[in-house]
Amino acid sequence: MTVRQDVHSAGIPVLCQSCEARHRGVCGALDPDQLVGLAKTSSRHKIEPGIELIGDAEAVDSYSNVLSGVVKLTKSLSDGRQQIVGLQFAPDFLGRPFKMESAINAEAATAVSLCTFPKATIDRMMKESPELEHRLLKQTLNELDEAREWMVTLGRKTASEKVASFLLMIARNIDPTADPTAKSATFDLPLTRADIADFLGLTIETVSRQMTRLRTDGVIRIENNRHVTVDSLSRLERRSGT
């Protein structure tokens, strides 16, 4: 395949030219020479659903950009119980800079594609490129804002609003190539009903009941129990209580 060279792609490694992480993720902070250097140490992987990507309290020796799919983040208690605390989508940065150990467990919720590179390479580049460090800080602050918003969802919204908020989040984030101004969306649910219930602090029965209510009201359509179509994102947003 021939990739057209222009002012935006000249000098950029072929694998990076169509990557969402270069356009919207942390790699957007790197110049062509830095991208070439990073590409020499990086590798791409396809991960099957259910595979652990990062273990809690595991030594951190690499980072990744999520290229496609959904990553589930969980925290574990000493007795083995787990809580889903977040989801990551392309082109999110997977890993925790400035720490030697992870404080969270990351698992592929769907089939996931990752671009992985050594921690030492990113640590060195952060020292050389203030813009890269700025991008990582910005993403961290965005995740903090999202966590605070989710606290409102869990603490103040009704069961119906929680389920609608979850579906709206998936619709807006699951496809990194989707038009951000699109008025509709189609996607497969990345979590099981049990995981959705865990994430929202609801029972499985309540999640199923609220899904049925949204479908009955014509807000969503569901096929094969997991394939969801949202004809009007604005209508779903209204149901989310946002």
Side-chain angles (χ1 to χ4, degrees), residues 165-176:
S165 294
F166 170 77
L167 293 174
L168 187 62
M169 176 179 64
I170 301 303
R172 287 176 169 169
N173 292 283
I174 196 166
D175 182 1

Side-chain angles (χ1 to χ4, degrees), residues 47-54 70-72 105-112 190-191 195:
I47 313 296
E48 294 300 313
I51 300 298
E52 182 180 85
L53 307 175
I54 301 174
V70 181
V71 175
K72 177 174 67 175
N105 180 279
E107 177 185 312
T110 67
V112 171
L191 302 182
D195 277 347

Side-chain angles (χ1 to χ4, degrees), residues 17 32 41 90-91 117 122 149 228 231:
Q17 290 182 15
T41 66
F117 24 77
I122 294 298
E149 287 293 328
V228 177
D231 292 316

